[in-house]
């Protein structure tokens, strides 16, 4: 959307657009209003850039309308997150999609060739953090990144983590996914010299308080280069990791 | 106090004590009532066992009375914790004491020779956790333990911790003191095969919430053998560490 | 793992291992990577030492793979915690195991003869704390400890607790399990002269806030020798109790 | 105020009061409006019943006005709570008052002869809970109750509490004042068979969170007959204890 | 239990009991140990005094054992609280009981004639607070009190409350049950001159946080004579109300 | 109810009512007591003013009684909120009602013609906030307001919001409904110059903590004219919006 | 600012402004950038409309610059909130201002004649809530409203509140200011039929938790027409009250 | 440190180092142990890379020792954060440093020429967030980045933010600093297409709860590319921003 406002102003200046047309354009352009949702359609961006639908709290019917609208506008690749198996079954009747029940993500269209600066490492503290990690990994892949998965490398068995020191030190960006005490982010942050995106998970019991313990632990990390996203927000971490991993392409 | 009740009952049985005398004894024996405080006096325990006074919330006058009472009853060694410099100055007029301003502890009498199973390691994540760590270390020493101090070995610089792997793996008990993300306890717990007592500190800012972050992190540690005491409770950790380090002497 | 790093370095020095082999060894040795989990295999430890699997958040299939791997590597005794009855049924088709539905623990192999310093007392405040207490007790037994159970001795009926004063005063370590106000740990801590491991439970209603009330109460205990593990963490308490109860064997 | 509304209505009926006079009366009667405060004046209650002023957040000037107004209206006995020493000095220039710096209470007029059902016991867990306990004790005394003080009888030294079992079992009402783990209320509640009013105090450090730990612990007490007032609310506890201790006089 | 200790000591003195018999007696007397529960049996109390069983977290089998034991020891009246309909059906096969599904209480034996000082008023803010209120009311009735119910008199419709001013002002004790903002306790506390026991309920949504809002509101009540029990603790309130309503009988 | 008290007093004065009749009247007038509920009946208010029933926590039977009583007393329009589909089915057997499953509201009688000052805008941050928004919109409509719905205009896609700038700037009152970060209220508050009623929703995951995040965010809004109602309280917002939108009619 | 964007677009269309000038204008127009602050200058609004400066966190120097800039741009009336006495002394050297130390507000220029729909009532629960209430009252007055102050009418003395029923029922808007249990808003909301803006205050101790108790209580109010602003936010309440009280003037 | 372990292993293999020398080296190499602190010395990194000292909780003496050690080891540029003016005065006696009292940062050595991918924008919601923002900005500059400051562009005056749309859309990385409702991060995240690092500040009052409100709001941001650091952690944000802004240089 960057240059759109300027373009519209120039068209007004040159007489291509009247003031009222300009106002109308500013209001109606960048999305399709479906009543229950306003669907952003990045028509002018590079072809192949994926659109994303957050599935939670939307009916299968609502999602079908949104997907249809996106495909109609020329979108070639769609990522749906937080998609129940049940909703998925209904969508499958209308669209061809690649569903991962572990991460509850679905992809319409194929994943692109990786074209980032380097590799993104996605690491988890335990086995039960894997669903959130997979959401991050799939998201990163859909946005054109190569992903290395290091699962079950929690800090209480440091040798398991240290045996992957090389992957960690060669990563472009690291997504550290952990519940319980969330110490993984700090330890990885101390070993790596790249940005570390910490994802607390709601995995745990007792005083983990639904991910609060891991969240606080990660926010208080003393290691440089660590930042945090919301509890269980694998998508946000994967998306940001991909954005950072494409920094050099920007200018 | 273990056998006292039985002893009293036996004396009643043998006629040495009347019922009323027994009741009186049960009520008046084990402490001296100063009105504002009831001072436990372990007269029958092994000579040299230290008494402890928690200094916070007590006036210098109150503490002087308690110390006097303890000395009068034969106590040879007293540990005072949470003692302000000011209170200390006043106490010094009446008693000879060894004050450590860093840990705010004072010792009356000399520290005993260490006689525990092995060495107690006291480790901190950062420089500002040292006061709490010193409270633990001094307490352990007063209770007859040899202490190894490993300060500023936080997990964000893992090499500093790992270079002390030997001390950690040879320790009898470890006290892990850390604020902020509190990950030290988990990492040490994963390296060591002895009990680890975790002490969260109120050191930190922002979402450390006065030690809450470290506390939750430590409680959620996935490493075996880790337990937690109250925020900033160096004394409790040192005392428990000493107790564990003297287990073999028990039977 | 203590001496492994040194051993590997010596072999490099003597030419038995090349540098690359050493690096490979450091990375691949101490666990088996199953993709979703990295299974620690303590091959060099004393025969009979139990391995532990935390069942929550793992599928029956994942657990079967882990157990198989452990048995293959020579492990003779496995403790599985947080195992649902349903998962248990599936595992039973492949392995012989001893399941306790109350504590949701399963044991593969037999419990060893107790060889600790003394007895471990496991006490609960009420009847509904028993599942957590049993997790602690079974864990301690699997790790070679003799356990005395004192259930429903909450402080609101002090005579029930006091009538077991002897067991409490003769214990080597005490695990105090309580929900609601969690006062049991403080009272036992005041009576006993051994380490007390407090386990808050999520039992209760209203302002018990899922165990928070008991947790805070136990952390604030004024009794010496008390430390706390996570809410409902019976395993952690039983494991630590066993570790302390074997202190004398260490050196 | 019980019968006032009915009285006014009767006077309207009999013509003694017009409707407008009645409305005016209903609005202006029961208190004196000083602008910044509306002072209740219980003119029709039994002579000698004390009025109470909550000192915190009021200037010495405001308090002087309130006291004057009360004395003018015939009040013979006034209790001021939460009174700083400084404010007290200023008030002393105008009124004769008996100030207790420990509990920060001041009494104008003499304390009455106790005339309750029995004795009120005020107990504390430690020495630093005494200020709150004294606020309760002084309040109870000003309202005509005999008070027995049992200070520093916390549950970590159970023998100190048990040696006062008789006072506890003979009490009419008990006020249990404690910070930290707040277990005192439960233990006393289990021993006594009279109402126990629990007062959490903000005394403590770390995870006592300004009295929250003791508050939750007391609310979750499993002992019958225990209820709780606000953190540090010695006045509320003393007042309620006195009310209960005068139950028999009611009908 | 008051005089039991003294009695035993006297018997030791007179030779009726040996020391070992005395110790045995002190440990085994006052309850029956069922393994999973220790059942208090008040054999020496006035006949007809009810025993209470807290049903939550107990199986129907466990409850049956406890009830049997109580009946065997001569108990004539039992109150069971937090009893599910399902558990109730099972118990009904063995015992005759009067079940109230609203309050989930069951009574074995008949309710006694009220013999308290006066009437207990149980008031609720709304319709959905009634289950908790009924638990309080039934409890009070089982313990020999007359109860007046004032339901749905919340402060947002003050006229509904004020129209019952007379019941409120004539009450001996008031139990104020409310969720949401919990203001009922304060307003009633301001109108009444008897003890008010406030019961926050978990009724509500959003920022009522499971009763926390009402709990804090009630704890902060500025009205004199108000104290608070745990969220949804109708039993505790009814029991305490009954205790206070029988004060005059005590001496 | 404003003038009722005065009217009653005048009748007492003129002899139309005796004192006892007046007292009776004051107690029984303004509501119908159904035992479990006290139903306010605004008999003297303008015809057509709707009565409201909060459905949550009431049985279908209770609601039927309340509706019947309202209709009997002449009420022409009833709004029921928080009504489950199941309860609705039962009510439909007795009454004709217009049910909206999205907002879970039912209306008995027709919606009135809008007669407010201007239009009320109801805006949501996302699609999943719509149920709460509809509760607000339906409520406002039932109380005689015209409502403009702006759904899915969250601040992370500012252009969607800005394209509706005109509706926002012309609104009489705005209801801003949002979960997650709740920034919608601040941004709208900065654009509009009319009162903004912010409704946090419990929509979200992780650190949204059931609406707490949005609630705090909205309370801390720096924009002028913003106030907040309870989490998910669409009714409260719609009712208040309608009240403000009818301000000019008041005098 | 409503029409500014349209105006600029029209000038671009008519050639009065080039595209670049338009862009510049859009960026520089509506405020003056002082580096540390961007001062909004409502040049086109009705003369006499007050500007507001939030004093907290600004140095006296910064405030002087902002005031100067405002006066220079033609502003005739400025309200400064949260102004320390010290800062005030410095400002007084440069400007003539009317300072109220109680509410810490300063007014430059005179207060306008009230021209709202009706009267705004500002009520407080206690004496110590008055500073926040005065901030609300002064703000409302500066924005052209007549204010009635009802102070110290907390619900624990209901007669004091009820004696002002007439002011409450005749108010156009009510600001209810209370700490502790915050019940004032609910009770007033139940009596009044106008919008009630609730302001929790941080006044209180113990479990009032800096205003949290009052905040939650007010958010959970069951009375219709009640909304809430931030703790201690007298300004926000006064501003919103004034906005509502000028509703009729809008169209 | 990346290649150090491998290098050491190779030297062992080639005989240059004995096993014991290797172990010693691994332990003593990478830092200087000062007892109270272990100072990392990146001797092998590119000359000019700055070292960082966190000043809080360190005495001036401790800091002097650390600085000396760093300078001695060849470090040319040191950033000290959280440095009080007082501590600064003492350090100035020994070193030449450039102190910024606003951000409480000191720089020893000169700032380097910017060599990042693009510009870093540091934006604040209000004037009082500037100290935290300056800590971020100075940090970024010391690490070789060009910084654009946009202060006081909070979302309640959206035009101020939108007038800087170009800087925002051209930024390489954005640091969004805000207290209170913290909505700035979401709005900027919606406008920008680069990584946004959100820094909640403890600025605010009432329900901002020391930055908790802004923290939660930022964590819940629905905008893509937003991650969060600890409350007031300007350094962490500036450091991470610089790391991301140097991504292209990495490979």
């Amino acid at each position: 959307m960057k240059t759109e406002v300027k373009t519209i102003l120039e068209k007004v200046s040159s007489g291509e657009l009247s003031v009222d047309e300009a106002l109308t354009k500013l209001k109606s352009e960048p999305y399709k209003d479906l009543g229950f949702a306003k669907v952003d359609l990045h028509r002018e961006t590079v072809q192949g850039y994926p659109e994303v639908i957050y599935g939670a709290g939307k009916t299968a019917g609502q999602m079908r309308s949104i997907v249809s609208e996106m495909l109609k506008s020329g979108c070639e690749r769609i990522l749906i997150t937080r998609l129940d198996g049940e909703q998925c079954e209904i969508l499958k009747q209308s669209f061809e999609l690649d569903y991962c029940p572990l991460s509850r993500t679905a992809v319409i269209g194929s994943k692109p060739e990786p074209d980032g600066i380097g590799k993104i490492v996605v690491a988890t503290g335990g086995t039960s953090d894997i669903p959130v990690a997979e959401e991050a990994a799939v998201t990163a892949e859909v946005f054109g990144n190569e992903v290395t998965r290091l699962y079950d490398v929690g800090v209480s068995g440091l040798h398991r983590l240290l045996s992957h020191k090389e992957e960690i030190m060669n990563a472009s960006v690291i997504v550290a996914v952990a519940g319980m005490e969330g110490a993984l982010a700090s330890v990885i942050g101390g070993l790596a010299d790249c940005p570390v995106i910490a994802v607390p998970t709601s995995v745990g019991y007792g005083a983990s308080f639904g991910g609060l313990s891991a969240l606080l632990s990660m926010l208080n990390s003393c290691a440089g280069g660590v930042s945090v996203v919301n509890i269980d927000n694998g998508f946000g971490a994967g998306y940001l990791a991909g954005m950072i991993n494409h920094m050099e392409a920007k200018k």
Side-chain angles (χ1 to χ4, degrees), chain A:
Chain A
M1 258 199 70
K2 267 193 200 180
T3 53
E4 255 175 316
V5 172
K6 192 165 181 185
T7 310
I8 290 171
L9 282 173
E10 282 167 353
K11 287 189 180 161
V12 170
S13 175
S14 68
E16 276 180 82
L17 282 175
S18 73
V19 168
D20 281 339
E21 285 167 352
L23 273 177
T24 306
K25 213 170 174 52
L26 276 170
K27 281 176 197 159
S28 60
E29 271 291 12
Y31 60 85
K32 175 76 181 183
D33 194 340
L34 302 177
F36 57 84
K38 311 219 179 320
V39 184
D40 284 307
L41 301 167
H42 301 97
R43 269 159 307 185
E44 287 164 278
T45 58
V46 185
Q47 289 304 307
Y49 193 80
E51 298 284 352
V52 182
I53 306 172
Y54 175 69
K58 297 208 179 67
T59 65
Q62 289 177 332
M63 266 182 297
R64 195 168 33 217
S65 306
I66 296 174
V67 170
S68 297
E69 204 60 49
M70 284 175 169
L71 294 177
K72 221 184 303 171
S73 82
C75 171
E76 291 169 356
R77 188 170 290 136
I78 301 172
L79 170 65
I80 311 178
T81 62
R82 309 274 163 124
L83 186 71
D84 282 344
E86 224 177 305
Q87 292 171 303
C88 178
E89 282 315 303
I90 301 176
L91 283 189
K92 268 187 168 163
Q93 296 165 7
S94 312
F95 313 104
E96 206 167 308
L97 46 77
D98 183 12
Y99 184 62
C100 164
L102 195 60
S103 59
R104 296 192 297 142
T105 51
V107 180
I108 295 178
S110 58
K111 289 187 189 166
E113 279 305 295
D115 58 355
I117 298 175
K119 287 185 195 167
I120 294 174
V121 165
V122 178
T124 75
T127 298
S128 20
D129 302 314
I130 294 180
V132 175
E134 277 299 310
E135 192 185 87
V138 169
T139 299
E141 287 168 351
V142 171
F143 280 85
N145 301 280
E146 187 179 348
V147 173
T148 305
R149 287 154 170 87
L150 299 181
Y151 291 166
D152 196 23
V153 294
V155 300
S156 64
L158 211 52
H159 57 292
R160 296 182 291 187
L161 179 63
L162 291 181
S163 74
H164 290 285
K165 221 166 142 179
E166 212 153 317
E167 284 99 325
I168 288 168
M169 291 195 301
N170 289 332
S172 176
V173 192
I174 301 176
V175 176
V177 183
M180 301 300 289
E181 87 267 65
L184 186 66
S186 290
V187 174
I188 285 185
L191 290 172
D193 57 354
C194 69
V196 175
I197 304 167
V199 192
T201 70
S202 56
V203 165
Y205 63 92
S208 72
F209 295 126
L212 182 64
S213 168
L215 171 62
L216 293 181
S217 182
M218 286 165 165
L219 282 168
N220 282 288
S221 175
C222 303
V226 177
S227 64
V228 187
V229 297
N230 199 357
I231 297 166
D232 290 338
N233 190 4
F235 166 74
Y239 179 83
L240 175 56
M243 194 183 253
I244 296 174
N245 193 35
H246 282 81
M247 287 296 288
E248 70 178 348
K250 192 177 173 181
K251 280 214 159 176

